[in-house]
Amino acid sequence: MQNSYFIKKLQPVVQLFSNAAWLMGSEVLAKISRIVTIVVLAAALTPVSYGTAMLALAFHDMLGLLLRAGTGTQIIRCAPEKLASYAKNGATIQWGMCLAIALIQYLLADIVADSYDNPDLATLLKTMALIYLFYPWVSIKVFLLQRENLMRWLSLRSGICVIAENLSIALFAVLQADILAVAYGKIVFSLLWLILFSLAPVKSYGLGFDLRVIKQLLRTSGQLLSCESLRALRLHTDTFIASKLMSPELFGIYSFAKNAGIGLSQSIGNVFNSALFPFLCKLQRQGKLTQQQSIVYRIATCIGLVFVIQALLVPFYLPLIFDQKWQITIPIVVILCLVALPNLLVDTYCSFQRAQGDFKCEILTRLLCLLISLLLLIYFSPTQPIEFAMILLASSLLWCIAIYPGFVLAKKCFTLLSFISRRKSHEY
């Protein structure tokens, strides 16, 4: 009797591990190909060119993260009776968002390049803007795969796409495409993504236009847009500031260190959170979310220890893999590997809030983390890569220290302001 109860209690966690295992398996293969890409780029590009490529990717990824603010979250977590309506109207919204983001990136390319006095940025950003035209064809199918927790199907195809992207970037770099190798690799990824996910074993709902449903989706999407904008800024704010405060060569060194440190470990965190969110939404629909909260945090902490192990191994594997010109980045990479652990815990905390539909609380959480990072970077204004890494680690530790009391205080202030506003409206 006790054994059956114990098995029943652990069953949801087993599913989380199963989902994460499939995603992690594909990620391991993708990681190997990513290491090949980093090695080839490090050999083929100068520090200045490397910094330019990473800065362009930061802007592109920041806009790309906004797609997560669309209808995906709502399709994954909605009640079964709302699924068809949300999927049809969500597809219409996805098309609008993708077209808008592609146009925005294309129009902003020259402005961004001028602000950094780097014309090569414009070419990269304009080329990568085309990628957004591929996503809306199959984006709803990807959300439905996550909703159904079909992580085996999703992870295998995603892994193939990532491997193809990484190896094609390396190939184009060898063929002397220089920084455009990054953009060409992204295009290869998008084409393969479109082909593979068009065959997804989920129902196709087509397009729909119900103004009431679209307004409802957009209302929530506005809150998700704020969440994803704050998350994107938190992830890339150091890159944008570093490119202004450092020389092009020092920025290239910092970009390499970040890519070899946070870049490698962050992808493991992304795998865990990709598996975690649909799992939490399923628990929320079943009314079992709070029962599994402590177990999920323990799992997240254990995964975070992998980043600590990576940091310890950096002095051994980095000299074996990369050119002599990158050896000075070893202490920077070690520090940046450790940043991934607080990142993972914050994203896990926000996944719980999002699964509960508590988007305002997620906004407050992400805003608090962003402000801590910005204040430290602006106050100290570091000009050396090692200084940037240390401030980034300090700010990430402060997130974990301040997130709970800061969140509670901000929520009380928000509640008080809402109460005062209602009182004044009532008086009038």
Side-chain angles (χ1 to χ4, degrees):
M1 189 75 176
Q2 288 181 344
N3 288 337
S4 61
Y5 172 77
F6 185 70
I7 293 171
K8 186 177 180 181
K9 186 175 178 62
L10 284 181
Q11 190 174 7
V13 181
V14 171
Q15 184 180 24
L16 173 59
F17 268 116
S18 176
N19 290 347
W22 279 109
L23 289 170
M24 192 65 71
S26 65
E27 183 64 21
V28 168
L29 296 176
K31 188 69 65 187
I32 295 172
S33 66
R34 182 176 175 82
I35 291 172
V36 172
T37 303
I38 294 174
V39 172
V40 173
L41 285 179
L45 302 181
T46 64
V48 174
S49 296
Y50 199 99
T52 299
M54 294 305 108
L55 183 58
L57 283 175
F59 275 104
H60 176 76
D61 290 344
M62 192 178 76
L63 286 173
L65 283 172
L66 300 182
L67 290 177
R68 295 178 57 182
T71 57
T73 297
Q74 299 165 82
I75 289 172
I76 294 170
R77 66 179 297 275
C78 73
E81 61 270 15
K82 294 183 178 180
L83 179 58
S85 177
Y86 275 26
K88 291 178 183 178
N89 292 278
T92 303
I93 294 173
Q94 284 294 113
W95 269 103
M97 287 190 67
C98 288
L99 292 173
I101 293 173
L103 182 61
I104 289 169
Q105 180 165 313
Y106 189 88
L107 294 176
L108 286 179
D110 290 319
I111 298 173
V112 171
D114 289 341
S115 67
Y116 286 95
D117 194 23
N118 190 341
D120 291 334
L121 269 177
T123 305
L124 274 177
L125 290 173
K126 286 180 179 179
T127 305
M128 289 191 289
L130 300 173
I131 295 167
Y132 295 116
L133 303 180
F134 296 100
Y135 291 150
W137 295 93
V138 293
S139 60
I140 301 300
K141 288 192 173 186
V142 175
F143 302 146
L144 292 171
L145 286 169
Q146 291 175 290
R147 177 185 173 86
E148 299 298 327
N149 281 270
L150 296 174
M151 293 304 174
R152 177 180 178 179
W153 205 98
L154 177 66
S155 61
L156 289 174
R157 275 70 180 178
S158 297
I160 291 171
C161 292
V162 174
I163 292 169
E165 176 191 353
N166 290 333
L167 295 182
S168 61
I169 289 174
L171 177 62
F172 286 123
V174 170
L175 295 175
Q176 298 183 340
D178 199 46
I179 57 176
L180 278 174
V182 175
Y184 296 156
K186 289 285 184 184
I187 292 173
V188 169
F189 171 89
S190 303
L191 285 170
L192 193 56
W193 180 273
L194 175 61
I195 293 169
L196 293 179
F197 282 94
S198 62
L199 305 174
V202 290
K203 184 177 179 180
S204 295
Y205 289 94
L207 293 171
F209 190 85
D210 185 328
L211 190 58
R212 180 184 59 82
V213 176
I214 286 179
K215 284 182 177 179
Q216 183 180 353
L217 290 173
L218 287 176
R219 194 179 302 116
T220 304
S221 293
Q223 296 174 331
L224 288 168
L225 178 62
S226 299
C227 294
E228 291 301 329
S229 299
L230 292 169
R231 179 175 183 268
L233 284 171
R234 193 199 82 207
L235 289 173
H236 298 299
T237 187
D238 63 307
T239 299
F240 301 142
I241 295 175
S243 60
K244 285 289 189 181
L245 296 179
M246 294 183 195
S247 66
E249 186 170 357
L250 286 177
F251 174 66
I253 291 171
Y254 177 75
S255 298
F256 170 82
K258 184 176 180 179
N259 199 22
I262 295 180
L264 291 174
S265 52
Q266 184 66 42
S267 60
I268 298 175
N270 290 338
V271 165
F272 176 70
N273 279 288
S274 296
L276 177 64
F277 180 66
F279 169 75
L280 295 181
C281 290
K282 181 178 179 180
L283 290 181
Q284 175 69 7
R285 289 194 294 270
Q286 296 173 346
K288 300 178 181 178
L289 184 61
T290 55
Q291 300 173 18
Q292 304 294 333
Q293 190 166 353
S294 61
I295 297 177
V296 170
Y297 276 115
R298 290 185 198 128
I299 295 171
T301 304
C302 291
I303 291 174
L305 294 177
V306 175
F307 310 150
V308 178
I309 295 172
Q310 182 191 346
L312 295 174
L313 294 176
V314 166
F316 301 100
Y317 75 75
L318 198 142
L320 294 175
I321 298 176
F322 298 102
D323 291 348
Q324 183 64 34
K325 64 184 176 183
W326 303 110
Q327 304 308 306
I328 58 173
T329 65
I330 288 177
I332 308 170
V333 176
V334 170
I335 295 171
L336 291 177
C337 285
L338 299 176
V339 175
L341 176 54
N343 264 337
L344 178 65
L345 294 177
V346 169
D347 285 338
T348 301
Y349 183 72
C350 289
S351 291
F352 272 99
Q353 294 174 326
R354 185 172 294 195
Q356 293 170 320
D358 201 350
F359 304 123
K360 291 179 180 177
C361 292
E362 184 184 352
I363 291 172
L364 292 174
T365 302
R366 295 199 182 278
L367 179 60
L368 177 64
C369 295
L370 175 61
L371 288 176
I372 290 172
S373 297
L374 277 175
L375 289 173
L376 287 181
L377 287 171
I378 292 172
Y379 179 77
F380 289 102
S381 296
T383 56
Q384 296 296 320
I386 189 70
E387 295 172 356
F388 253 90
M390 292 176 69
I391 291 173
L392 204 61
L393 178 60
S395 63
S396 67
L397 294 174
L398 284 175
W399 300 341
C400 297
I401 295 171
I403 194 169
Y404 181 73
F407 168 69
V408 172
L409 179 61
K411 191 172 182 180
K412 286 183 178 179
C413 291
F414 182 80
T415 304
L416 180 61
L417 290 172
S418 299
F419 174 74
I420 294 172
S421 177
R422 287 196 300 270
R423 282 285 299 270
K424 286 185 178 181
S425 300
H426 181 71
E427 289 173 2
Y428 284 119

